[in-house]
Amino acid sequence: MSTPSTAPTGPVHVTGTVLTTRAVGAYTHLTLVAPGIAERMRPGTFVAVSVEGQLLARRAFWIHRVRHAGGHGMTLEIVVEQVGAGSRWLAAQPVGAKLAVTGPLGRPFALPKRDADPVSCVLVGDGHGAAPMFLLGERLRERGAVVTMLVAGADEAHLLSALEARRSARSVTVVTEDGSVGSRGRVADHIGEVLRRAAADVVYAAGRPSVLRDVAEAAETHGAWSQVAPELPLTCATGLCQGCPLPVVGEDGVARTVRSCYEGPVVRGDRIRWTELAP
Amino acid sequence: MSVLEDLRLRGPVLTASGCGGTGRELAPYVDLATLGGFVTRSITLAHRTGAAGRRIVETPSGLLNAVGLQNPGLEPFLARELPWLHQQGARVIVSIAGASPGEYADLAQRLAVAPGVSGIEVNLSAPDQRGSGVYDVREPFHAGSVVSAVRRETPSRVPVLAKLRSDVVRAVEVSRTVAEAGADAVVLGNALPAAMPDGRPARLSGPAVGPLALRCVAQVCQQLPALPVIGCGGIATPADVRAFLDAGAVAVQVGTAQLHDPMTLSRLITARQEDA
Ligand code: FES
């Protein structure tokens, strides 16, 4: 059916195994052996996990990192924030636990063409929405892009891997709402200045819709392209149920509702009808 | 197999309307050609954007949904989705919904002659908001008039399925009415009327509604033994499939379980093959 010369594409559903689990600030990082998913992933794609018991919706997580791990082949890391019964269950899974995992799901961030002139990229990660940004930063650097990062969180515990950011980016701005580390404030207070300093051509962002709206507006003011991945509640995460409406405007100027998990999660910031998504 | 053949089904395990996307999203997890049938989400004449805001909420043993019939409308469906599904070898059963019997009839007229349509499923369990106050399609009288309007526009070689909700009080009555109006089979049931935590109208599906659907299936099979019944509601395991078939259903549709685990259909089909 498939031609062996092309890289495998499309999601797969596998039984994954928890290889490591560790608490990092307010989050739990899980490394999973999930054959086939890491090989197919691109920054911005995610996985969905079934929770045991009576919870019927699936839980979606950014693919944070992929790496080779000895005899296990490629592994992937997800970042779990414990916000409800499902994420609490997942964060409590011990090493060796088996999980029903589907991925990679969703449309990834678009990268600049390989032979294009160097592009200045600003990457904005809000809370655990910063998870896909580190790998994205690496891929962009491989393509010769100049990468600037803005990593934001409510406080130090909700700041994802600011240290790692320094490895993936030329310059890093850290912002916390309580000022516990980095500059005090919200993304909206700092994004304009970061875009100006970086002379940004493209802005990539993931996180809460209200934060992404500010990023998209700042990008527009600055004259940059924006690609944003709003975090919305997903039910199936596979495009089957239409439970994740994302209000957009099509290329033809017509207002549409697309599925965040399938036509997204990454879409152009200037295409989202923000008043309907993030009032 | 003869009832299945009459209904142009390939086996006893089908998708439930609204839980298989356009088919393309399902294809990575199950070979569409192995499904008894692929039932589309409900198609309306004009494009519908569906409900705004939170659409699906988890409850113990069930999902609440207020999706609101989002679909591209008949013409884009015919142009883009149907030919692709047909190419995959899927038996396509098109679910239709309208705000009046006339709209159902128009849909049936166009679909009945479209290449690749194996059957029409008339969605009679969710009142169309646009028709509300005028007629409630769940009422036996209205359900019957919709089915006869559809039947008139559909050649007899294309089966018409009537999808009803699991209403233990009226399942037999509605089934009899739609059968007399020309339905070749009934699908029992669908998500049940419920409310979101904020009070908005919603519909409940999943394991919670399974026993209700089974009760309706058993009742209708006993009292109307000549009418083929397809069971739908809370089906997730081979044992669930068996229970519905033992109660007299000729086939089952799988919905919510597929959202929890996209391999469910594939697993159930394999289990049936091993059983056979
Ligand atoms: S969550 Fe089901 S379609 Fe997106």
Side-chain angles (χ1 to χ4, degrees), chain A residues 10-14 49-59 100 102-103 105 233-245 254-259 262-263 273 276, chain B residues 18-22 24-26 28-29 41 47 49-63 67 69-71 205-207 256-263 267:
Chain A
V12 291
H13 181 87
V14 297
V49 178
S50 296
V51 175
E52 265 171 30
Q54 296 193 328
L55 298 173
L56 294 169
R58 307 199 75 200
R59 299 301 190 271
T102 315
L105 295 163
L234 305 179
T235 302
C236 69
T238 44
L240 296 173
C241 74
Q242 307 202 84
C244 55
V254 178
R256 290 201 174 75
T257 303
V258 298
R259 291 162 294 182
Y262 196 77
E263 282 90 6
R273 291 182 280 136
E276 283 177 47
Chain B
C19 296
T22 64
R24 287 177 209 265
E25 307 80 10
L26 188 60
Y29 312 105
R41 62 207 191 289
H47 158 248
T49 50
R54 192 78 198 263
R55 287 182 172 185
I56 302 189
V57 169
E58 267 179 335
T59 71
S61 294
L63 289 182
V67 171
L69 296 182
Q70 180 174 349
N71 81 98
S205 67
T256 303
Q258 187 60 29
L259 308 179
H260 172 74
D261 176 350
M263 299 302 285
R267 233 186 346 259

Side-chain angles (χ1 to χ4, degrees), chain B:
Chain B
M1 267 315 247
S2 78
V3 182
L4 296 185
E5 275 162 22
D6 288 348
L7 294 174
R8 303 166 70 89
L9 303 180
R10 217 172 249 150
V13 180
L14 290 73
T15 55
S17 178
C19 296
T22 64
R24 287 177 209 265
E25 307 80 10
L26 188 60
Y29 312 105
V30 60
D31 178 354
L32 302 186
T34 65
L35 292 167
F38 178 86
V39 184
T40 68
R41 62 207 191 289
S42 289
I43 303 297
T44 53
L45 278 177
H47 158 248
R48 302 258 183 117
T49 50
R54 192 78 198 263
R55 287 182 172 185
I56 302 189
V57 169
E58 267 179 335
T59 71
S61 294
L63 289 182
L64 288 167
N65 89 77
V67 171
L69 296 182
Q70 180 174 349
N71 81 98
L74 179 64
E75 293 302 333
F77 169 77
L78 287 170
R80 288 200 297 271
E81 294 181 23
L82 180 61
W84 184 87
L85 284 165
H86 189 41
Q87 256 171 33
Q88 307 306 304
R91 282 267 191 276
V92 185
I93 296 167
V94 184
S95 169
I96 59 173
S100 68
E103 282 190 20
Y104 280 96
D106 287 352
L107 284 156
Q109 190 189 34
R110 288 297 313 281
L111 286 163
V113 295
V117 173
S118 295
I120 293 176
E121 180 177 285
V122 189
N123 182 350
L124 297 169
S125 44
D128 187 318
Q129 287 309 315
R130 289 180 40 214
S132 79
V134 185
Y135 83 120
D136 183 346
V137 78
R138 297 172 303 192
E139 281 297 311
F141 173 76
H142 293 304
S145 36
V146 167
V147 169
S148 54
V150 167
R151 187 73 274 179
R152 265 199 304 279
E153 300 297 340
T154 313
S156 57
R157 67 185 162 76
V158 179
V160 171
L161 319 181
K163 181 158 183 178
L164 313 172
R165 66 174 166 157
S166 320
D167 179 339
V168 285
V169 180
R170 304 186 88 175
V172 174
E173 181 193 357
V174 191
S175 297
R176 184 181 289 121
T177 312
V178 296
E180 282 166 0
D184 298 284
V186 293
V187 182
L188 280 166
N190 199 334
L192 289 170
M196 289 287 192
D198 63 7
R200 277 184 299 147
R203 306 192 317 132
L204 178 67
S205 67
V209 308
L212 275 160
L214 185 58
R215 164 81 184 255
C216 293
V217 167
Q219 261 179 337
V220 172
C221 290
Q222 269 163 23
Q223 299 197 30
L224 306 171
L227 177 65
V229 174
I230 298 172
C232 179
I235 294 164
T237 65
D240 298 332
V241 176
R242 227 170 294 123
F244 276 82
L245 297 184
D246 287 351
V250 298
V252 296
Q253 296 185 348
V254 177
T256 303
Q258 187 60 29
L259 308 179
H260 172 74
D261 176 350
M263 299 302 285
T264 307
L265 280 162
S266 168
R267 233 186 346 259
L268 294 179
I269 289 167
T270 309
R272 287 308 299 171
Q273 284 160 351
E274 284 165 2
D275 259 16

